[in-house]
Amino acid sequence: MSVAFFIIALLTLLSAVAAMTLRNLIHCALALAFTFAGLAAAYLQLGAQFVGFVQLLVYVGAVAILIVFAVLLTRGREPATQGIFSPKWPVGAAVALGVFGTLAGLLLSSRVLHHEAAAIAQAPVRQIGEQLMTHYIVPLEVLGVLLTAALIGAVILAMHERESDSPPPSKT
Amino acid sequence: MTPFSQFAIFSAIKIICVFAVTMFIVAYAVWVERKVSAAIQDRHGPNRVGPFGLLQPAADAVKAFLKEDFTPAHVRKVYYWLAPAIVMIPSLLTIAIIPFGSQLGHQKMVIADLNVGVLYTFGIVSLGVYGIVLAGYAANSKYPFLGGIRSSAQLISYEIAMGMSVIPVFLLVGGLNLSQVISYQTGSIFHWLIFKCPLSFIIFLVAMFAETNRLPFDLPESEQELAGGYNVEYSSIKFALFFMGEYAAVTAASAMLVTLFLGGWTLPIAGLDRPAATLGVGILQILIFLAKMLVVEFMVIWIRWMWPRFRYDQLMDLGWRRFIPLALANIVVTALVLCLVVK
């Protein structure tokens, strides 16, 4: 655990907290982008160049910027005035705890923790590709199906909206 | 001297040299742009400061620094300050992984020879959108906001086409490292990837214009509709940073194009496509790289004064409905051919 790791971790956590608690949605979205960038920095610091730059490309460069974009296009300029905690916060907390518990349980019961950390080797891209296409083919395909379903869902939502659009009212 | 401090010193020297050359090219690209536009429009162009107006960039720089740095009262201050810097940074960072020569002595002429090379480039390039979005948002007024939204939509769209256009290149080369890409292109001029993946080259070239906000795709700045776009509220050196950011992006993109498709620092004659053994050849190869890059950059400038601007819907149509399917087909066909031929 180096100093660099602590700085990165601290900044990532702080920006994550900022993303959840700030009132102005634009600030939240930008803080989220910073969190993603912090994660990318953490991957790079661990020597995982491929994952680090993919994280940068996909999350900071695409996902976060689309969120910023959507917020800019749809929201009014004024920040929301109601409190940041919704009245249903216990439900949210329960869901969060559940997810955390599941993940933590799986991690603790898996073999990952019992492995000795392998010497840091730069996994070549070719090797990552081969592993994805052979050993991890089922998760890859499942993810593919999931993303396709999401894509089709988005298209159907957009189509629905266009159909329900009434023709523009005539001026007379 | 320990290897680490040696590495640090040589890296620092390389960074300073590359930065200086890049900024010089950026300054004189503006001069070339004005001279070329003047020649095309039958004018003189800058000709007062120094011989042929050659000192004009220096005069412009002094002016940009000395002008009053005016901050309008209605802007969002933090973002207003951040945006010009964020526009400038990605273009400078991309140059770090481009091999601009083979070697001088035992030093490889590249700042960072990353294994994931091009992935780094696209990761960094995708951050450029933030500068423009933030500028549009920070200005807190209508025209810059519209300009920022437009431009970010454009950048996001063309990033996809650009990223997919180079995948066939890496399928052929078998790795993402840019030095590897260059060594693949040695031997004969027909090993240059422009001849092996012409479709990739065309898509990359067009996407490059869109990504650097140059005409025919300079919608974010379209003067007639938006009075300038995302940079309306900026003045003095902050405005100059947007301006320099554009030319730095053009320089970085030209360097990338030369590396990926035009053989980088190699020439297939007189053994110039092998790593240099002597200092002289090493310097010659750096000059070859610079020459190729400047030719591409000149072409980018030339095109600006020859083409009309695309309409926004035409731009989006071209990106999403022509280039992305084409790039996808290109990947599939290249992969199939490789699979059938190699095995």
Side-chain angles (χ1 to χ4, degrees):
Chain A
M1 299 271 178
S2 63
V3 181
F5 175 79
F6 276 111
I7 296 174
I8 291 170
L10 192 68
L11 285 177
T12 309
L13 287 178
L14 279 181
S15 60
V17 171
M20 286 185 297
T21 51
L22 289 176
R23 300 278 179 96
N24 186 333
L25 271 182
I26 300 281
H27 296 301
C28 297
L30 290 170
L32 187 67
F34 197 87
T35 312
F36 288 148
L39 277 181
Y43 289 139
L44 288 179
Q45 207 243 339
L46 289 171
Q49 288 186 345
F50 185 80
V51 186
F53 286 117
V54 167
Q55 164 86 12
L56 201 64
L57 182 64
V58 174
Y59 282 93
V60 188
V63 173
I65 200 75
L66 281 180
I67 294 175
V68 174
F69 198 66
V71 173
L72 276 179
L73 271 181
T74 51
R75 272 285 165 141
R77 297 285 171 82
E78 298 312 313
T81 44
Q82 74 267 30
I84 48 169
F85 289 108
S86 116
K88 287 176 193 147
W89 68 268
V91 183
V95 171
L97 269 180
V99 172
F100 180 79
T102 316
L103 283 178
L106 280 176
L107 265 182
L108 284 176
S109 64
S110 78
R111 287 168 300 162
V112 178
L113 290 183
H114 305 296
H115 271 298
E116 279 295 301
I120 293 177
Q122 289 299 333
V125 180
R126 179 184 291 272
Q127 208 177 325
I128 296 175
E130 270 165 10
Q131 285 294 312
L132 272 183
M133 279 298 159
T134 52
H135 193 199
Y136 297 102
I137 185 74
V138 176
L140 186 75
E141 293 291 324
V142 170
L143 270 184
V145 171
L146 188 71
L147 289 177
T148 315
L151 198 68
I152 294 173
V155 170
I156 287 175
L157 277 180
M159 269 166 56
H160 216 67
E161 209 154 81
R162 186 166 299 168
E163 275 167 15
S164 65
D165 270 353
S166 52
S170 55
K171 292 242 167 120
T172 49
Chain B
M1 213 167 13
T2 63
F4 178 76
S5 61
Q6 204 175 3
F7 168 78
I9 289 172
F10 277 114
S11 292
I13 294 173
K14 281 190 269 190
I15 289 170
I16 291 170
C17 291
V18 170
F19 179 71
V21 171
T22 310
M23 291 324 277
F24 181 81
I25 291 175
V26 166
Y28 276 90
V30 180
W31 179 83
V32 172
E33 174 108 59
R34 292 174 71 176
K35 276 293 188 190
V36 169
S37 70
I40 288 170
Q41 298 172 341
D42 211 9
R43 296 183 284 113
H44 284 297
N47 63 355
R48 295 291 140 178
V49 195
F52 306 106
L54 271 175
L55 296 179
Q56 187 71 43
D60 285 345
V62 171
K63 178 188 140 192
F65 273 108
L66 292 184
K67 260 178 109 168
E68 185 192 351
D69 183 16
F70 182 75
T71 308
H74 57 78
V75 298
R76 298 179 166 94
K77 294 263 171 2
V78 177
Y79 296 133
Y80 183 81
W81 278 81
L82 269 179
I86 297 181
V87 164
M88 191 74 195
I89 292 168
S91 334
L92 292 178
L93 283 181
T94 351
I95 296 176
I97 57 151
I98 289 173
F100 50 89
S102 56
Q103 52 193 31
L104 288 179
H106 293 294
Q107 282 297 316
K108 274 180 130 180
M109 285 296 106
V110 51
I111 294 174
D113 200 14
L114 285 187
N115 269 331
V116 291
V118 114
L119 208 56
Y120 167 89
T121 314
F122 285 108
I124 299 291
V125 165
S126 67
L127 302 183
V129 192
Y130 280 96
I132 290 171
V133 168
L134 283 185
Y137 175 67
N140 201 8
S141 57
K142 289 195 186 76
Y143 286 132
F145 182 73
L146 286 174
I149 289 287
R150 261 188 181 192
S151 129
S152 41
Q154 170 183 340
L155 292 192
I156 296 167
S157 310
Y158 275 84
E159 239 163 52
I160 302 173
M162 195 179 207
M164 291 205 298
S165 78
V166 295
I167 291 178
V169 169
F170 297 102
L171 288 179
L172 278 177
V173 174
L176 293 173
N177 184 304
L178 288 179
S179 304
Q180 215 176 328
V181 174
I182 287 179
S183 61
Y184 180 85
Q185 301 181 68
T186 54
S188 144
I189 193 165
F190 294 106
H191 290 179
W192 286 9
L193 284 159
I194 180 175
F195 299 110
K196 291 205 162 180
C197 319
L199 193 59
S200 291
F201 175 74
I202 293 169
I203 298 173
F204 187 89
L205 187 70
V206 176
M208 170 182 139
F209 278 90
E211 284 290 302
T212 52
N213 285 330
R214 297 284 302 186
L215 234 129
F217 305 121
D218 66 339
L219 291 149
E221 295 188 44
S222 59
E223 291 91 348
Q224 294 87 342
E225 302 158 35
L226 294 176
Y230 53 82
N231 51 20
V232 170
E233 306 284 357
Y234 285 89
S235 58
S236 86
I237 191 64
K238 291 209 200 80
F239 176 79
L241 271 176
F242 280 110
F243 207 70
M244 279 150 62
E246 180 184 325
Y247 285 95
V250 173
T251 309
S254 309
M256 203 64 205
L257 186 84
V258 167
T259 309
L260 286 179
F261 295 102
L262 300 176
W265 44 263
T266 66
L267 265 192
I269 44 167
L272 280 176
D273 50 6
R274 284 191 293 277
T278 62
L279 219 56
V281 178
I283 292 173
L284 186 63
Q285 281 171 337
I286 295 179
L287 292 180
I288 290 172
F289 178 79
L290 281 178
K292 282 182 182 175
M293 193 180 90
L294 292 179
V295 168
V296 174
E297 201 164 346
F298 182 79
M299 186 201 67
V300 172
I301 288 173
W302 185 13
I303 285 175
R304 172 165 178 188
W305 301 97
M306 287 295 179
W307 280 69
R309 179 179 294 132
F310 273 56
R311 227 173 44 218
Y312 190 62
D313 57 320
Q314 291 171 330
L315 171 93
M316 283 305 183
D317 189 64
L318 189 72
W320 285 101
R321 299 202 4 223
R322 311 279 160 84
F323 279 152
I324 291 180
L326 254 183
L328 273 175
N330 195 17
I331 296 172
V332 173
V333 169
T334 313
L336 272 181
V337 168
L338 273 179
C339 189
L340 293 178
V341 172
V342 174
K343 277 180 184 170

